[in-house]
Amino acid sequence: MSMVVTAVRLLQNGRYGLFSDDTFLCSLSGGALLEAGVAKGDTLEDEELKDLLARAQADKARNKALRLLAGRDHAKAELARKIARTEGAEAAEAAADEMERAGLVDDRAFAERFARELFGRRLFGRRRAVLELSRHGVARTLAEEVCAALDDDPVRRAAAFLEKKYPRASADEKERRRALSALERAGYDWDTARDARGLDTTA
């Protein structure tokens, strides 16, 4: 079965829609349309149409990857997972691979930047930092390696956490219990939490 491309229209999203009479076939970016070499009046056989649809899906996955990366850095697995929600797993994996080859995705660099934020601005402990990295698609072994290398002074960081969020913990027993629970949720072990309680971070 063959189909004739009867119209190529610019859509509101900036992509080009291909139509056969009143039937929408697919949409492509301008660059992908040029690469496909399809124009109004062309006849598409089944295999050609199948190839065009696959090209359109890959094009959409690539564009979504670029939009996501323009917003913030992503680990490769997280990027593929988000793309797959709308474009399918195969196209998502291919797009993530392409972003990695282009140097736009680097799991180690992402893990190091994110871990520094978790340790610095958020004052998390190592256990919580590893968990957050894993949630964002970083492999567990890499997350543990990066966090171990950057976790330079957990006791002082835990003390800073207490000073910022529970400044009255030293004078109030109820507040002290809440502070210890918060330290545990933030990823600190008991020994670090105990040592942090007696540390003056202004020294």
Side-chain angles (χ1 to χ4, degrees):
M1 179 181 176
S2 60
M3 302 190 79
V4 178
V5 179
T6 57
V8 179
R9 301 171 189 159
L10 181 62
L11 305 178
Q12 288 185 344
N13 60 8
R15 295 172 66 83
Y16 290 86
L18 276 64
F19 297 82
S20 179
D21 295 326
D22 292 329
T23 301
F24 172 76
L25 301 178
C26 64
S27 69
L28 296 163
S29 64
L33 181 62
L34 288 174
E35 289 178 6
V38 178
K40 180 180 177 180
D42 286 352
T43 299
L44 301 175
E45 303 297 336
D46 284 346
E47 284 303 312
E48 291 174 312
L49 179 59
K50 183 178 179 181
D51 178 70
L52 184 64
L53 294 176
R55 185 189 293 269
Q57 188 175 41
D59 181 47
K60 289 174 66 179
R62 183 185 304 112
N63 288 343
K64 184 171 183 178
L66 291 170
R67 288 197 305 273
L68 289 167
L69 291 172
R72 69 164 175 82
D73 289 342
H74 286 70
K76 184 179 178 182
E78 179 189 29
L79 182 66
R81 186 167 61 243
K82 288 185 176 181
I83 298 169
R85 293 172 185 167
T86 56
E87 308 309 328
E90 186 175 348
E93 290 293 338
D97 286 343
E98 183 178 347
M99 297 301 109
E100 185 178 44
R101 288 193 299 271
L104 299 177
V105 170
D106 182 330
D107 277 10
R108 179 173 291 277
F110 169 79
E112 290 173 350
R113 284 192 293 271
F114 194 22
R116 288 190 181 96
E117 178 187 345
L118 295 172
F119 286 144
R121 184 171 64 84
R122 302 194 195 182
L123 299 172
F124 282 167
R126 187 191 302 187
R127 188 176 67 246
R128 178 69 182 274
V130 169
L131 177 61
E132 292 297 324
L133 287 175
S134 298
R135 285 176 175 170
H136 282 75
V138 178
R140 182 84 184 195
T141 52
L142 177 58
E144 290 174 347
E145 178 187 338
V146 167
C147 288
L150 296 176
D151 189 19
D152 55 350
D153 197 345
V155 173
R156 184 167 290 277
R157 192 167 63 253
F161 177 93
L162 288 176
E163 184 178 316
K164 178 180 180 181
K165 297 180 180 295
Y166 296 91
R168 296 179 56 252
S170 60
D172 184 276
E173 180 60 31
K174 183 177 180 181
E175 190 76 353
R176 183 158 53 249
R177 289 196 298 270
R178 291 178 59 198
L180 289 174
S181 295
L183 279 172
E184 183 179 8
R185 292 193 301 273
Y188 292 98
D189 59 45
W190 171 254
D191 289 339
T192 301
R194 180 194 59 201
D195 294 343
R197 287 174 55 193
L199 183 64
D200 181 2
T201 60
T202 64

